[in-house]
Amino acid sequence: RRHWSRAPLSGAPLAIARMWLARARKRRAFSKMVRGIVDQNKRTACEICGRTPEKNNIKLTCHLARRGEPDLTAIDRLIAEFEELYGVNELEPQLWKAYFRAHAEYCTRCSMCEDSMAQERLLQASKAPGPSRITRPQDISSDEEDDMVDFDPVVVTRTSPEGRMMSKWLVAARKKLGGAFPRPDARKQMEKYAQKLRELKMKKARGAVQPTAEELAKDPIMKELQGETANVTAATKALALRWIRLARDVMESKFKYRSETFREDVDTLLGMMPEEDDWYFGAALRLEGRDLLVKGAALEDDRRTLEAEAAVKVHKIERDLEGHLVDRQAELERERKLFNTKLAQQNDKILLDIEVRRGELEKLKELRKKEFMAEERKAREEMGAAPTEMIQSHRNQLLAIDQQMLDEQHNTEEYRREEDAQAKIMFDRAELIKLAEMERRKALASENIARIRQEVTQKVKAAEAEWQSGTAKWLAVARRKVQVKNKEDEEARAGKRKRKGGK
């Protein structure tokens, strides 16, 4: 030791020393807290030999046990389980005592049994090391089973103080274990440990090189993929927005329900922690719960006030939107009725024009028919008979007038249909524009309502989330203490009834 360096520790040795010192201090403090509980569980006779202090003049000692046998590491196991359940930073004495009462095992030994067991341990330790002693599984620690922090590999030179200390320990350990070194599986164990270190290093490297959102946005491949999937229709966008709003509403409802549940639980537990029981629960815990309850009620009042103000704004937006939609819908109905009336009037006018034109052509046909008959009669008087060419010409002219009536009627009706179709197309386009404007107004109103509700949520959620976090921790401690207190009271009542019955 006189060759050891006096320089202050740093790096990994300092971290190891601090971790060991913190664990040692915590073990000593926790052991002192439960020393009285261990003494209370001491039996009246030794559990091995049955000796009692009155008859045999011996001293009884209560030990922590595991499966009925004394276990020096039982306190370490209980502390580790307590830290796993409540966290490493939990130092509440009453909570630790309650956990210890619920999970500790005890055994009572007399001084004579203690001396005999101590002699056996000394005899076992005094055996000379060598091949005759086979290495047991518990003599070799496993790195995978140690509850310790993983440190980076450290290179230590043999001539340094640390190297000389480690070499001395290694020689003593090999001498104690005995046998040939290195062991046959030493290389395999070394390779396994090296592989573990490499995997840990690769895991850290993967986390460091994982691309961020900005890097993904600058990636040309991602840009191309984004460009391919960016074709979103209006209906898809509307569905996505609706889903997002519904999801937010569900999350907000769950958040509010959690706050309500916490307030009810705090109120219930405070009712189970009267002021006269401050000797057990502690006045600080009760007052902290009362402060949490008051703060929760204040947060709920703030939320209700903000929600009432938001409800007024939302009602105004919805009322304006409803009035606007009613006016626009009435306007659309008036325009459609006016359009249909105008279209019917135009159709009636065209039909009237067709009938007038048809009457004119009928009159023209009758007039020509009379002229042709007069010409044919004159020809028969002069020539004795009307020429065939004249009769055929007259007949063709009359047929031409009939065909003209049909063609003009068909053309006029076709023109009317085309004009009607074009007018309907233009009217439908104008109507779609107005309907789209109504939908846009609805979407704008929905966005405004969602924005107002989101503002309310943001104003109260930060403080309420902090309150929920503190309340959850208080509830865990208080609920456990209440359960332990109820259990102890029930055991005390049962013992009292038993004693009364015994009397």
Side-chain angles (χ1 to χ4, degrees), residues 234-251:
T236 305
K237 183 178 179 181
L239 288 174
L241 291 175
R242 183 173 180 272
W243 182 89
I244 290 173
R245 288 168 187 156
L246 290 176
R248 285 177 178 172
D249 292 341
V250 171
M251 293 177 64

Side-chain angles (χ1 to χ4, degrees), residues 63 69-72 109 111 113-127 133 136 176:
H63 300 279
E69 295 294 333
D71 187 4
L72 298 178
R109 298 288 186 268
S111 56
C113 293
E114 287 288 326
D115 293 341
S116 62
M117 293 177 67
Q119 290 177 2
E120 290 181 3
R121 287 196 296 269
L122 289 175
L123 181 62
Q124 184 69 20
S126 62
K127 288 184 178 180
R133 178 174 176 177
R136 299 164 298 176
K176 187 75 174 176

Side-chain angles (χ1 to χ4, degrees), residues 5-11 13-14 18 162:
S5 174
R6 301 294 180 181
L9 297 177
S10 62
L14 179 60
R18 285 179 175 175
E162 294 84 0

Side-chain angles (χ1 to χ4, degrees), residues 64-198:
L64 291 177
R66 188 175 184 182
R67 300 186 181 92
E69 295 294 333
D71 187 4
L72 298 178
T73 62
I75 186 68
D76 300 312
R77 176 176 55 81
L78 290 171
I79 292 174
E81 293 175 355
F82 178 78
E83 291 178 347
E84 182 179 358
L85 182 59
Y86 295 104
V88 180
N89 299 324
E90 181 59 57
L91 301 175
E92 175 64 29
Q94 297 297 332
L95 187 62
W96 159 242
K97 290 180 181 179
Y99 182 84
F100 184 84
R101 288 192 188 98
H103 296 85
E105 299 178 15
Y106 313 96
C107 65
T108 303
R109 298 288 186 268
C110 65
S111 56
M112 298 183 67
C113 293
E114 287 288 326
D115 293 341
S116 62
M117 293 177 67
Q119 290 177 2
E120 290 181 3
R121 287 196 296 269
L122 289 175
L123 181 62
Q124 184 69 20
S126 62
K127 288 184 178 180
S132 59
R133 178 174 176 177
I134 302 174
T135 302
R136 299 164 298 176
Q138 58 267 28
D139 292 334
I140 303 175
S141 63
S142 175
D143 292 333
E144 288 77 12
E145 297 176 357
D146 290 344
D147 185 15
M148 300 182 64
V149 181
D150 290 331
F151 294 97
D152 294 332
V154 180
V155 178
V156 181
T157 59
R158 293 180 179 271
T159 58
S160 64
E162 294 84 0
R164 290 197 297 270
M165 179 180 65
M166 294 173 67
S167 298
K168 185 177 179 180
W169 178 88
L170 180 62
V171 171
R174 287 180 173 177
K175 185 177 180 181
K176 187 75 174 176
L177 294 175
F181 289 93
R183 299 294 194 197
D185 59 342
R187 179 174 294 278
K188 184 178 180 180
Q189 293 181 5
M190 183 272 295
E191 291 176 353
K192 184 178 180 181
Y193 185 75
Q195 180 64 24
K196 178 184 176 182
L197 293 179
R198 284 194 295 269

Side-chain angles (χ1 to χ4, degrees), residues 259-273:
S259 296
E260 294 175 0
T261 305
F262 278 2
R263 282 191 293 271
E264 294 175 358
D265 292 345
V266 171
D267 191 15
T268 303
L269 288 174
L270 285 176
M272 299 178 181
M273 299 167 61

Side-chain angles (χ1 to χ4, degrees), residues 353-408:
D353 293 340
I354 291 174
E355 292 297 330
V356 172
R357 180 59 178 166
R358 185 181 184 87
E360 292 176 354
L361 292 176
E362 288 289 348
K363 290 180 181 179
L364 177 61
K365 181 180 178 182
E366 292 296 330
L367 181 61
R368 293 291 179 86
K369 197 172 185 180
K370 291 179 180 179
E371 292 178 355
F372 294 156
M373 290 176 64
E375 290 180 2
E376 291 178 359
R377 189 170 53 252
K378 184 179 179 181
R380 281 196 300 270
E381 291 175 355
E382 293 179 354
M383 301 172 59
T388 305
E389 293 82 2
M390 179 184 295
I391 295 173
Q392 189 64 34
S393 175
H394 292 166
R395 185 179 299 170
N396 290 338
Q397 292 182 25
L398 293 176
L399 291 174
I401 293 174
D402 292 337
Q403 186 63 36
Q404 183 180 358
M405 285 191 295
L406 294 175
D407 292 341
E408 288 185 2

Side-chain angles (χ1 to χ4, degrees), residues 306-431:
L306 292 173
E307 286 180 350
E309 295 175 356
V312 173
K313 296 179 182 178
V314 169
H315 180 67
K316 185 178 182 303
I317 293 174
E318 291 177 347
R319 185 178 57 192
D320 294 342
L321 175 64
E322 184 179 0
H324 175 75
L325 293 179
V326 169
D327 294 341
R328 298 299 290 176
Q329 191 67 32
E331 182 181 353
L332 287 175
E333 292 178 359
R334 288 195 305 270
E335 291 180 354
R336 178 166 288 278
K337 289 180 180 179
L338 182 61
F339 173 75
N340 292 331
T341 303
K342 185 178 178 181
L343 201 62
Q345 291 176 355
Q346 290 179 355
N347 290 335
D348 293 341
K349 184 180 178 181
I350 291 174
L351 290 175
L352 182 59
D353 293 340
I354 291 174
E355 292 297 330
V356 172
R357 180 59 178 166
R358 185 181 184 87
E360 292 176 354
L361 292 176
E362 288 289 348
K363 290 180 181 179
L364 177 61
K365 181 180 178 182
E366 292 296 330
L367 181 61
R368 293 291 179 86
K369 197 172 185 180
K370 291 179 180 179
E371 292 178 355
F372 294 156
M373 290 176 64
E375 290 180 2
E376 291 178 359
R377 189 170 53 252
K378 184 179 179 181
R380 281 196 300 270
E381 291 175 355
E382 293 179 354
M383 301 172 59
T388 305
E389 293 82 2
M390 179 184 295
I391 295 173
Q392 189 64 34
S393 175
H394 292 166
R395 185 179 299 170
N396 290 338
Q397 292 182 25
L398 293 176
L399 291 174
I401 293 174
D402 292 337
Q403 186 63 36
Q404 183 180 358
M405 285 191 295
L406 294 175
D407 292 341
E408 288 185 2
Q409 182 178 357
H410 176 74
N411 293 336
T412 304
E413 291 177 351
E414 186 67 26
Y415 173 77
R416 184 193 64 183
R417 285 193 293 270
E418 292 178 358
E419 288 293 325
D420 290 349
Q422 190 67 24
K424 287 181 179 180
I425 290 173
M426 298 302 294
F427 180 81
D428 291 341
R429 288 180 180 176
E431 191 175 39

Side-chain angles (χ1 to χ4, degrees), residues 434-452:
K434 294 178 181 179
L435 291 173
E437 192 274 336
M438 293 170 63
E439 293 295 331
R440 186 187 64 80
R441 187 68 178 268
K442 287 182 183 179
L444 182 61
S446 299
E447 291 177 2
N448 291 333
I449 293 173
R451 177 181 54 79
I452 292 172

